[in-house]
Amino acid sequence: MFQNECVCRILSFLFKRPDMARLRLHIGLIICLAISMESVLGAPVISQISKDVVASVGDSVEFNCTVEEVGQLSVSWAKRPSESDTNSVVLSMRNILSLPDQRYNVTVTEGPKTGSAIYTFRIQNIEVSDMGPYECQVLVSATEKVTKKLSLQIKTPPVIAENTPKSTLVTEGQNLELTCHANGFPKPTISWAREHNAVMPAGGHLLAEPTLRIRAVHRMDRGGYYCIAQNGEGQPDKRLIRVEVEFRPQIAVQRPKIAQMVSHSAELECSVQGYPAPTVVWHKNGVPLQSSRHHEVANTASSSGTTTSVLRIDSVSEEDFGDYYCNATNKLGHADARLHLFQTVIPVPSLS
């Protein structure tokens, strides 16, 4: 501003004097030339930068940034931790590296136009940590810079995210939704398969969806489901998710009527299913029966979730004949099954 004021005062003085006509003409030409030079030199412009790069771990990559009207200004390459992060780490300034990483290399060559330069930044043997946005920066002043950015994406095998559950619990009749998340580049696709290649609830052996949906869950839907993530890089990642289905007890009785002779042993048996595992109690005449010298109750759970309960009477007496009830209870309800022990004149061998 001070220089402009001085020029204005000198011009005012010269234009008042008639003998200064030729000098006025020369000064006018100088001013025009100055204005023309200012428009030619102008502010620095990043005319070209490399497109986004996709590479694999171990590859080498190269970024190019062409700057017009660079003059003596400083041009640098910088890396930002993420797209949303405004801070950046300066990797180079002009043709000098700022970080002592042997994988880095920076060169400066003359550009296609006068006053332009190409700043090339190379990374050898790239790692996953190299992924992210990179900026070409022209430092115009302490508070002003011209920037353009590109993104380096690195192909990585799929990894199922930790927020994907390993098990879930649902009550029979409810709807179930299981969502599987996976990281990797390119973005992994998600599919579902049932353990032991069992048929999926909706049919078929594979569901190509990120979310597994089961309407009106049935106890037969319980078991293991594999979330499978793949993107063509490396091996697919899998996670087994256990689905537990809560349901009220059900009782099955193969022999509801048992015949036996006095003084011989008898066994009454019921098979119980339910989740959580039901409590099984035998009753006769409304009185719970417990293991004693006369009666023995044995409950055996199988891997399929079925509990087999056996009431054994070592030596049947007249008082033992009648109706017995196998009762199963869990938090969702209870079930009863009636078994009848009656007398026969011929001893019946035990099935066990």
Side-chain angles (χ1 to χ4, degrees):
M1 181 180 296
F2 175 75
Q3 292 177 346
N4 292 339
E5 185 178 350
C6 291
V7 170
C8 290
R9 290 183 178 180
I10 293 172
L11 290 176
S12 176
F13 171 76
L14 293 175
F15 277 90
K16 289 179 180 178
R17 295 187 56 176
D19 58 333
M20 295 292 182
R22 180 174 294 182
L23 184 57
R24 289 199 299 268
L25 177 60
H26 290 167
I27 291 176
L29 292 174
I30 293 172
I31 293 174
C32 291
L33 180 61
I35 294 173
S36 176
M37 288 297 294
E38 182 179 359
S39 63
V40 170
L41 294 176
V45 175
I46 299 176
S47 59
Q48 189 175 5
I49 192 171
S50 297
K51 295 181 179 180
D52 293 346
V53 179
V54 176
S56 300
V57 172
D59 288 351
S60 296
V61 295
E62 179 178 292
F63 309 144
N64 291 306
C65 177
T66 303
V67 183
E68 311 288 347
E69 310 300 342
V70 63
Q72 298 301 313
L73 296 176
S74 178
V75 178
S76 62
W77 279 100
K79 183 179 184 298
R80 287 160 50 186
S82 65
E83 291 287 350
S84 59
D85 203 320
T86 57
N87 296 322
S88 60
V89 177
V90 176
L91 306 175
S92 68
M93 295 192 70
R94 294 192 177 94
N95 61 346
I96 301 173
L97 291 174
S98 303
L99 293 179
D101 194 321
Q102 294 182 349
R103 300 178 304 125
Y104 294 166
N105 175 260
V106 61
T107 57
V108 181
T109 56
E110 186 177 341
K113 296 181 181 179
T114 303
S116 68
I118 301 173
Y119 296 79
T120 303
F121 189 79
R122 301 178 184 86
I123 308 175
Q124 294 181 332
N125 193 27
I126 61 173
E127 304 169 356
V128 174
S129 59
D130 294 321
M131 184 167 56
Y134 288 77
E135 279 188 346
C136 177
Q137 303 177 346
V138 184
L139 306 180
V140 179
S141 67
T143 58
E144 183 184 359
K145 61 184 177 181
V146 178
T147 66
K148 276 193 177 180
K149 67 177 182 178
L150 59 85
S151 178
L152 172 60
Q153 294 284 355
I154 299 177
K155 295 179 181 179
T156 53
V159 177
I160 294 176
E162 287 301 317
N163 60 355
T164 299
K166 295 182 179 178
S167 64
T168 188
L169 180 65
V170 62
T171 301
E172 190 172 42
Q174 293 181 340
N175 296 332
L176 173 66
E177 284 194 2
L178 281 178
T179 301
C180 184
H181 303 278
N183 301 315
F185 187 82
K187 184 179 180 181
T189 59
I190 303 295
S191 57
W192 295 87
R194 204 163 179 180
E195 192 178 21
H196 309 306
N197 202 33
V199 176
M200 299 288 288
H205 293 275
L206 193 69
L207 174 67
E209 296 286 344
T211 301
L212 171 65
R213 294 181 174 88
I214 306 177
R215 294 180 59 84
V217 172
H218 188 269
R219 68 198 66 177
M220 297 301 293
D221 298 326
R222 70 185 187 270
Y225 293 80
Y226 281 105
C227 164
I228 306 167
Q230 50 192 340
N231 65 354
E233 291 294 315
Q235 295 297 318
D237 194 18
K238 293 183 180 181
R239 174 169 295 182
L240 184 63
I241 302 174
R242 289 285 173 192
V243 175
E244 294 290 356
V245 180
E246 293 182 325
F247 61 97
R248 60 186 303 155
Q250 285 190 334
I251 301 178
V253 177
Q254 290 186 346
R255 292 193 306 152
K257 293 184 179 181
I258 302 96
Q260 191 53 284
M261 188 177 177
V262 172
S263 299
H264 286 73
S265 64
E267 289 186 352
L268 291 75
E269 180 180 308
C270 66
S271 295
V272 178
Q273 285 191 332
Y275 192 86
T279 301
V280 182
V281 178
W282 288 88
H283 292 79
K284 186 177 189 296
N285 299 325
V287 178
L289 300 177
Q290 297 178 349
S291 293
S292 64
R293 294 198 312 186
H294 187 60
H295 300 91
E296 181 184 359
V297 178
N299 296 325
T300 305
S302 69
S303 59
S304 62
T306 300
T307 298
T308 301
S309 184
V310 177
L311 171 63
R312 179 181 174 85
I313 305 172
D314 287 334
S315 180
V316 175
S317 64
E318 292 283 347
E319 292 79 11
D320 291 324
F321 295 116
D323 289 337
Y324 291 80
Y325 288 88
C326 174
N327 177 271
T329 305
N330 68 10
K331 70 177 186 177
L332 298 178
H334 69 277
D336 291 297
R338 183 172 68 90
L339 295 86
H340 183 69
L341 177 63
F342 63 95
Q343 186 175 5
T344 182
V345 295
I346 301 174
V348 179
S350 173
L351 296 178
S352 60

